[in-house]
Amino acid sequence: MLGRIHSTDSFGTVDGPGIRFVVFTQGCVMRCRYCHNRDTWGMKDGEVVSVGELMEKIRAVKHFLSGGVTVSGGQPSLQPEFVAELFRACRKEGIHTCLDTNGYVKGMTNPIVDMLEQTDLVMLDIKHMDNDLHRKLTYVGNERVLDFARYLQEINKPTWIRYVVVEGYTTDPVYAEQLAEFIAPMDNIEKVELLPYHSLGKHKWDLMKDIYELEEVTPPSEELLRDLQRIFLNKGIQAIY
């Protein structure tokens, strides 16, 4: 089984629980204005690798992986067969699998279902609950993302929600309230990670000769993050930043 990837990281510490081997897939449909992996968008870029080749790299560092393997992106759901096969190989060797995704899928096709069956944990980015602002931020609507979240609840898949806090888009407490209300009934949601906006990926936009529109935006304050955290805590949802 072959897949197209951007790169790998053998010592990931922010991509799920523990120290993890991270595979960044190539290709993404969303065009997030703050994307820190701008160079993963192109569907035909990157490197073609086999599951076997990746497993060789994973086995070489397996003893250091207190967490497991995470597939991120880009958008892993564009290559569900490849991700499913990689995760299947990992689980055969007792390695925890995590899918880091924006949840933008056209439907619960057999390959998507199979990929999720081989996934131990999903980290789902919900960019915005307001559909118009979601389009403004990512250039696509949020309907498919929210349907994906509902499916994860239906199959009771352990899930972490990731919510990027960026001035001008997601700092209004109203939107955090909407997200909290959406996920509060979901027993599969283990926690929410509030991710402060940063511009560390701007240089990748420069390399791609693209315009980074959020250059003047500053990271959120500790006070704001604490206020947003409290919204989730008040609904019984674990939230960290």
Side-chain angles (χ1 to χ4, degrees):
M1 176 66 68
L2 299 177
R4 190 174 292 275
I5 70 169
H6 172 270
S7 58
T8 62
D9 181 357
S10 60
F11 200 82
T13 59
V14 294
D15 304 279
I19 298 171
R20 309 187 69 84
F21 187 97
V22 187
V23 180
F24 296 93
T25 57
Q26 186 70 39
C28 190
V29 174
M30 288 190 183
R31 296 292 182 259
C32 299
R33 294 176 183 266
Y34 52 67
C35 181
H36 59 274
N37 286 329
R38 168 64 183 85
D39 46 350
T40 66
W41 287 2
M43 304 289 187
K44 297 181 179 180
D45 299 328
E47 174 189 7
V48 175
V49 299
S50 69
V51 168
E53 289 171 323
L54 284 177
M55 288 305 299
E56 286 183 10
K57 293 183 178 182
I58 292 167
R59 291 187 191 103
V61 296
K62 182 178 177 180
H63 294 299
F64 301 100
L65 302 179
S66 61
V69 170
T70 296
V71 175
S72 185
Q75 189 174 328
S77 58
L78 291 174
Q79 303 179 66
E81 296 94 343
F82 173 68
V83 177
E85 192 63 27
L86 175 61
F87 279 179
R88 189 175 288 109
C90 287
R91 295 177 95 187
K92 284 181 179 178
E93 300 194 20
I95 300 173
H96 181 273
T97 60
C98 176
L99 178 72
D100 181 7
T101 178
N102 59 29
Y104 192 81
V105 301
K106 293 183 178 180
M108 297 308 128
T109 60
N110 288 336
I112 293 293
V113 169
D114 184 33
M115 177 181 68
L116 291 175
E117 286 178 349
Q118 303 304 320
T119 301
D120 294 314
L121 172 69
V122 173
M123 295 194 301
L124 173 62
D125 294 326
I126 296 184
K127 312 292 186 179
H128 214 296
M129 289 300 296
D130 182 281
N131 197 33
D132 290 337
L133 286 174
H134 194 283
R135 288 185 179 278
K136 183 178 179 181
L137 185 60
T138 71
Y139 291 89
V140 297
N142 66 6
E143 301 95 339
R144 290 176 176 175
V145 178
L146 301 185
D147 284 345
F148 186 78
R150 294 184 185 100
Y151 181 75
L152 294 178
Q153 176 195 21
E154 181 182 327
I155 63 175
N156 197 32
K157 182 64 63 176
T159 300
W160 295 0
I161 299 296
R162 291 183 143 185
Y163 184 64
V164 179
V165 181
V166 54
E167 184 64 43
Y169 293 93
T170 59
T171 51
D172 191 324
V174 170
Y175 304 131
E177 287 276 2
Q178 292 173 350
L179 177 58
E181 290 175 4
F182 176 70
I183 65 176
M186 299 180 174
D187 295 333
N188 64 308
I189 305 298
E190 296 183 349
K191 67 178 176 180
V192 173
E193 291 186 321
L194 301 172
L195 305 180
Y197 162 81
H198 63 73
S199 59
L200 298 180
K202 177 186 176 299
H203 69 283
K204 296 183 181 180
W205 290 69
D206 296 337
L207 289 172
M208 300 299 294
K209 303 186 186 309
D210 205 349
I211 298 173
Y212 188 76
E213 299 178 345
L214 304 184
E215 189 168 0
E216 303 302 320
V217 174
T218 57
S221 67
E222 178 89 11
E223 180 181 7
L224 174 61
L225 291 169
R226 191 164 52 245
D227 289 343
L228 296 181
Q229 179 190 42
R230 191 174 299 114
I231 290 171
F232 293 95
L233 295 177
N234 288 341
K235 291 190 179 295
I237 303 167
Q238 182 186 2
I240 63 172
Y241 61 85

